[in-house]
Amino acid sequence: METLKDTIVKQIIKDSLENSMSYPEYRALVLTKVENNSNTGHEVTQDLADYTALNNKRMKRWDKTIKVGEAVSDLMKHKTFNQTWIVITESWCGDAAHVIPVINKIAELNDGINFRVVLRDQNEALMDQFLTNGSRSIAKLIILDNTTEEVIATYGPRPAAASALVNDYKAKHGVITPELKENLQQWYNSDKGQTVIAELVTLLS
């Protein structure tokens, strides 16, 4: 039996989908923010605008270079889906810039997946239903069954190995530093989206 909380969550998701955009629309939005030296989200600062410009370059590169192996491609193309994938993000989020283009590449492989993007600060009620260790960490992917409107799975905010890198560093140093951000960037560049692909396939199998 569906609980009151389940009903509320479903309504929150429906409301957020009304404010959602396609991946190309999100990329266009980020580009507009870059052209205006700005960023998405409630807080607009020069630092966040600079991160947005950097992330736009990252996403542009990943859109062109991410490779999905033949085995995964065949699996996704021949599997039956009737799902909506909602990813919560903001333009300034470094992890999101590396992860979302990969999710998009996988979603594009099957017409049964409707991939939508929502902004965290415009959808706080949704974000608060999908916290990570009590925090509003992004990017966060929510996978819905279109028939039942139920949440099948969630993913994020970053791949497991990247999370381990961050957690180990924070345990040792206590804070996030520019050195950690550089290490994380190097990990993403070396991995080339393959861990996200593998983890998504496992999630969907």
Side-chain angles (χ1 to χ4, degrees):
M1 179 179 293
E2 184 171 294
T3 66
L4 177 59
K5 181 179 180 182
D6 292 335
T7 303
I8 292 172
V9 171
K10 285 183 179 180
Q11 188 59 53
I12 290 172
I13 291 172
K14 285 181 180 179
D15 292 343
S16 295
L17 279 172
E18 291 182 3
N19 299 322
S20 69
M21 65 193 101
S22 67
Y23 181 71
E25 287 172 335
Y26 174 66
R27 293 290 290 110
L29 172 64
V30 173
L31 180 58
T32 298
K33 294 298 182 182
V34 172
E35 292 171 345
N36 293 312
N37 191 35
S38 187
N39 59 268
T40 65
H42 292 328
E43 182 182 8
V44 179
T45 69
Q46 188 58 54
D47 282 346
L48 294 181
D50 290 342
Y51 284 132
T52 296
L54 178 60
N55 289 338
N56 183 63
K57 293 178 181 178
R58 288 169 172 166
M59 288 188 286
K60 184 177 181 180
R61 182 178 76 249
W62 289 132
D63 286 340
K64 293 179 178 179
T65 62
I66 289 169
K67 302 296 183 185
V68 179
E70 186 176 345
V72 172
S73 181
D74 287 345
L75 175 68
M76 291 300 299
K77 288 178 180 178
H78 293 97
K79 190 176 176 68
T80 300
F81 289 98
N82 184 21
Q83 298 177 355
T84 296
W85 293 11
I86 310 170
V87 70
I88 308 172
T89 188
E90 292 289 353
S91 66
W92 44 261
C93 178
D95 287 296
H98 294 292
V99 171
I100 295 178
V102 187
I103 297 174
N104 177 63
K105 287 288 184 181
I106 295 297
E108 283 182 332
L109 293 172
N110 194 293
D111 291 338
I113 298 172
N114 178 27
F115 182 43
R116 307 297 295 176
V117 181
V118 300
L119 299 179
R120 184 189 70 175
D121 291 359
Q122 292 180 6
N123 296 273
E124 293 181 351
L126 179 68
M127 181 77 261
D128 287 345
Q129 298 298 322
F130 299 96
L131 303 176
T132 302
N133 298 322
S135 69
R136 292 176 169 176
S137 301
I138 50 178
K140 192 75 170 188
L141 173 65
I142 305 159
I143 300 178
L144 302 176
D145 183 301
N146 288 336
T147 301
T148 64
E149 299 181 343
E150 293 181 352
V151 176
I152 301 171
T154 63
Y155 180 79
R158 57 174 70 95
S163 292
L165 187 156
V166 172
N167 293 337
D168 290 347
Y169 191 95
K170 288 171 68 176
K172 183 176 181 180
H173 300 278
V175 294
I176 293 177
T177 66
E179 180 185 16
L180 172 59
K181 292 180 180 180
E182 179 63 26
N183 291 344
L184 192 58
Q185 171 71 19
Q186 291 176 359
W187 184 90
Y188 278 118
N189 287 341
S190 175
D191 184 71
K192 295 180 171 57
Q194 295 309 300
T195 296
V196 175
I197 292 171
E199 290 179 349
L200 281 176
V201 169
T202 299
L203 198 65
L204 295 168
S205 61

